[in-house]
Amino acid sequence: MRITILFGGTNKERLVSVASAQALCEALPDADLWFWDADDSVHETQAKTLLEHGRPFELAFKPGGRRVALTIETALDQARIDNRLFVLGLHGGRAENGELQAACEIRGIPFTGSGSASSHLAFDKVAAKRFAAIAGVKAPEDVAVDEIDAAFAEYGRLIAKPTHDGSSYGLIFVNAKQDLVAVRDAARTETYLVEPFIAGVEATCGVLEQADGAILSLPPIEIVPAEGAFDYTAKYLLKSTQEICPGRFAPEISAAIMAQSLKAHRALSCSGYSRSDFIVSDNGPIYLETNTLPGLTKASLYPKALKAQGIDFADFLRDQIVQAEQRLRR
């Protein structure tokens, strides 16, 4: 099979995707590179072009290579003919909500990461919380947008976020009555999830499946956001954000985070790898969401957890490729 790193995408997380692809390209130097552009076309590009692209979190990538197809669907048809296996360096939108995975499954194209059904489920933060709760994972309650005034009066602070977005885009912290207006305005154009604000330490924990059947939780990471909010800017642009791995949690808290991450991974039927986010409150870890295609950039959390576990990034990728082949045969 022709190992191909597929990156880019038509949603606003394509900048993160380019940075992930740079790390993937360095770890898999013999892989082909396909860039899915914002207009839905797919282009070949070269490792030199990709690796020399500076400030990927801020500047759009120009592939400069031959156009493979005008649409992603036509590109997938070509991938099937070429006998390609996709290493997915994609994040968000159609790349992570199960649509791309379904299109690959229909064509018999193997790919890394979770399948279409689990990707679709995990991408919906409301549904993901419900399934995680079924598995015994503690999650915050939902607040209906038309009830936010009463909820604000009851809890004092709320947090609102898009139900189908990643990289902490669109976060709204409701600390005053005027913030309620911002939530209502945002909810007119996008579906929003509103929850009571939970005070505590932000944490994340990866789960790794291996080709030999083993499954394990990686060391939890403690996040100390710059300027108080772990949004896109704090994640990728501010050097003052601290990501401490392993996190400075009590042993019983670390064990609880790892156990709940594994429960969420299984409840959502994830494959290969995932990363779940939590707030560590006075009442223990509270589940927020699961990412089926977490960032794999040099600045991302999942590679840091792999390193803390003593797993080389290239070895991780080669093992994920083996698993993708195994799933196709099944």
Side-chain angles (χ1 to χ4, degrees), residues 19-262:
S20 285
Q22 290 177 328
L24 294 171
C25 180
E26 289 186 348
L28 299 171
D30 296 328
D32 292 339
L33 298 168
W34 278 16
F35 176 68
W36 182 8
D37 211 341
D39 65 359
D40 204 37
S41 62
V42 176
H43 303 257
E44 288 181 338
T45 192
Q46 300 300 314
K48 185 175 186 292
T49 304
L50 174 60
L51 296 176
E52 289 182 352
H53 176 66
R55 297 167 62 191
F57 298 114
E58 302 169 71
L59 302 178
F61 176 70
K62 303 298 182 183
R66 179 184 70 89
R67 187 173 67 196
V68 175
L70 285 170
T71 67
I72 186 64
E73 288 80 9
T74 308
L76 295 180
D77 290 337
Q78 186 61 50
R80 179 181 55 80
I81 295 169
D82 294 345
N83 195 31
R84 293 182 183 272
L85 182 152
F86 284 130
V87 175
L88 298 184
L90 297 160
H91 311 298
R94 295 157 62 198
E96 197 167 356
N97 70 1
E99 290 185 32
L100 175 73
Q101 289 78 2
C104 287
E105 289 164 354
I106 289 168
R107 292 168 173 83
I109 301 170
F111 55 90
T112 56
S114 294
S116 59
S118 54
S119 297
H120 185 74
L121 177 58
F123 199 66
D124 183 334
K125 293 182 179 69
V126 175
K129 285 201 307 178
R130 289 173 181 165
F131 273 67
I134 291 170
V137 177
K138 188 184 296 184
E141 62 182 275
D142 298 340
V143 174
V145 173
D146 58 2
E147 297 176 356
I148 55 175
D149 289 279
F152 180 67
E154 179 179 355
Y155 297 108
R157 297 178 70 187
L158 306 172
I159 186 167
K161 51 194 172 184
T163 59
H164 298 81
D165 234 335
S167 286
S168 301
Y169 282 109
L171 273 178
I172 301 173
F173 291 87
V174 182
N175 300 316
K177 285 189 175 181
Q178 56 263 35
D179 298 324
L180 299 173
V181 177
V183 175
R184 291 193 184 93
D185 289 343
R188 289 193 181 99
T189 57
E190 193 169 5
T191 305
Y192 258 72
L193 166 66
V194 183
E195 299 169 336
F197 178 83
I198 300 169
V201 178
E202 298 193 47
T204 193
C205 185
V207 171
L208 174 64
E209 294 184 14
Q210 297 176 307
D212 61 4
I215 180 169
L216 65 148
S217 295
L218 300 174
I221 298 175
E222 175 187 353
I223 301 165
V224 183
E227 300 176 8
F230 196 49
D231 57 10
Y232 183 89
T233 299
K235 276 185 177 181
Y236 302 115
L237 302 179
L238 296 181
K239 302 299 184 184
S240 50
T241 294
Q242 297 180 62
E243 296 160 350
I244 303 163
C245 186
R248 301 167 298 182
F249 304 112
E252 63 274 16
I253 295 297
S254 291
I257 294 171
M258 294 169 74
Q260 292 196 31
S261 294
L262 190 55

